[in-house]
Amino acid sequence: MRVAVLGGSGFIGPRVMRKLVEHGHEVHCMDIAPDAPSLDPLRDRVTITRGDITLMDDVVEALVASKPDRVLNLAYAVGAGEADPHPQVRLNVLGMDNCFEAARILGIRRVVYASSLAVYGAQRLHGEHPVTEDELRLGTSLYAVSKIFNEHQADWYNRAYEMAITGMRPANITGPDKVRGSLNHVQCQVLPGRNEPVHFPYRDTMTLPLHVDDIAEVFLRVTLAEETAHSIYNSGGFGMSLGELADFVHEFLPDAEITFGADEGGYDQSGLYLMDNSRLVEEFEVQYAPFRQRVMETLNDVRAAEGLPPVG
């Protein structure tokens, strides 16, 4: 199978492409930064071309050249702030529209894209229960409303043209090399892994981390599916406070300098931290590794890069 990945140089993309190649699939990557170091391990196994998803001609040209059976769109702006909305709107909204429209024009029915848990807004808006895919999308940040609009775009294309576009709502994806988006759960692991101190305002701030290798496996399975029973899926994750995450880290690095300004005060300000993913589990038989294991792996990835001895 041929798969075109749009925006493959980011945090998730290289891992998904590696999995696709390992499963014997032909992968074509279009990215605005084709020389990105994150793509170096894949250059002899993946066809990489430069292209800007905000330019329709670039998207069409890439898909005409690759003739894919599937399109996976991982090109989006996250953690860009809201001072200037125009770059985000161009990438997250116009870019997604270019992806869907180019696929329609070229007769590519199956498209998979990344939405986000941000569409739900804060947990306090939903109560203390895991949200399902059918609950209200109450996010108000620019990123959240962009992703809500993406979901409306996908539903329209599915109805109007009988396409099979499927979205994934990832949780707070974590791992050793993440540098944009939600970062407190990353810093709580990466900085201690480097033997550096880290400080957070509140111990009870909640988060919903999920390791990047786990979400890469999810994107692999959903992308390869001939059909999906639903148009949108929650990834799920491991809801915990930063204090609880720090406790995991201290199991492996007892002397880690993780400090908090207060034990209470962050809970009510937390984003979403309870997400139901039974739809994904039942259809795709997803089973995540224990998060304690993922913390150890993240610490050891960081320490290997720093020339430090492993833990665990």
Side-chain angles (χ1 to χ4, degrees):
M1 183 182 296
R2 282 191 296 274
V3 181
V5 180
L6 308 181
S9 71
F11 180 49
I12 299 172
R15 287 155 168 106
V16 181
M17 291 192 292
R18 185 188 72 235
K19 286 177 175 286
L20 285 165
V21 169
E22 289 172 351
H23 281 73
H25 301 288
E26 181 181 333
V27 179
H28 296 254
C29 172
M30 185 198 85
D31 198 278
I32 199 168
D35 297 325
S38 61
L39 295 174
D40 289 348
L42 295 164
R43 294 193 187 280
D44 60 343
R45 296 185 289 170
V46 171
T47 301
I48 302 170
T49 59
R50 188 193 184 282
D52 184 345
I53 197 172
T54 71
L55 301 177
M56 183 64 165
D57 288 352
D58 282 11
V59 182
V60 171
E61 183 178 343
L63 297 187
V64 167
S66 58
K67 298 180 175 60
D69 305 291
R70 302 283 192 277
V71 177
L72 171 60
N73 185 9
L74 296 175
Y76 53 89
V78 61
E82 305 203 8
D84 180 2
H86 301 293
Q88 287 196 69
V89 170
R90 283 177 57 80
L91 181 52
N92 292 342
V93 177
L94 176 61
M96 190 70 75
D97 194 66
N98 288 342
C99 168
F100 294 162
E101 180 66 2
R104 180 194 72 81
I105 291 170
L106 298 172
I108 305 166
R109 187 167 175 267
R110 281 287 288 135
V111 180
V112 177
Y113 70 97
S115 184
S116 172
L117 88 167
V119 302
Y120 291 112
Q123 185 72 49
R124 58 181 170 75
L125 301 174
H126 301 275
E128 287 293 312
H129 69 275
V131 297
T132 69
E133 288 86 350
D134 297 324
E135 297 198 36
L136 293 175
R137 294 168 290 190
L138 301 174
T140 58
S141 68
L142 179 59
Y143 180 66
V145 298
S146 296
K147 288 303 179 183
I148 292 171
F149 189 74
N150 291 161
E151 294 181 9
H152 285 297
Q153 289 174 291
D155 288 342
W156 184 84
Y157 271 92
N158 285 342
R159 291 193 307 270
Y161 298 110
E162 297 184 351
M163 294 181 72
I165 302 174
T166 306
M168 275 301 313
R169 292 173 180 162
N172 299 132
I173 304 305
T174 195
D177 51 325
K178 186 176 184 181
V179 295
R180 287 185 293 273
S182 59
L183 291 176
N184 55 9
H185 51 91
V186 177
Q187 295 164 343
C188 193
Q189 302 170 78
V190 169
L191 295 180
R194 296 175 181 158
N195 292 339
E196 296 177 13
V198 63
H199 178 82
F200 301 102
Y202 303 108
R203 183 180 178 86
D204 66 349
T205 297
M206 299 295 292
T207 185
L208 186 63
L210 180 66
H211 194 272
V212 63
D213 286 346
D214 290 321
I215 197 63
E217 178 66 24
V218 167
F219 273 115
L220 172 76
R221 297 188 189 192
V222 174
T223 299
L224 295 181
E226 289 291 336
E227 299 279 348
T228 58
H230 305 275
S231 63
I232 196 73
Y233 293 85
N234 288 342
S235 72
F238 297 87
M240 64 184 67
S241 69
L242 288 179
E244 291 170 320
L245 179 53
D247 291 341
F248 275 131
V249 174
H250 280 130
E251 285 188 44
F252 301 105
L253 292 170
D255 297 327
E257 295 183 54
I258 309 172
T259 58
F260 298 94
D263 289 337
E264 298 181 357
Y267 189 82
D268 291 338
Q269 303 171 36
S270 301
L272 195 80
Y273 52 85
L274 297 172
M275 179 190 274
D276 183 291
N277 70 342
S278 55
R279 177 182 289 185
L280 181 72
V281 170
E282 290 168 8
E283 185 172 346
F284 292 96
E285 300 181 349
V286 171
Q287 184 175 359
Y288 298 140
F291 196 68
R292 179 182 180 277
Q293 173 186 323
R294 290 305 198 192
V295 171
M296 182 184 70
E297 292 170 0
T298 297
L299 292 173
N300 282 332
D301 285 343
V302 171
R303 293 177 73 79
E306 298 290 322
L308 296 170
V311 299

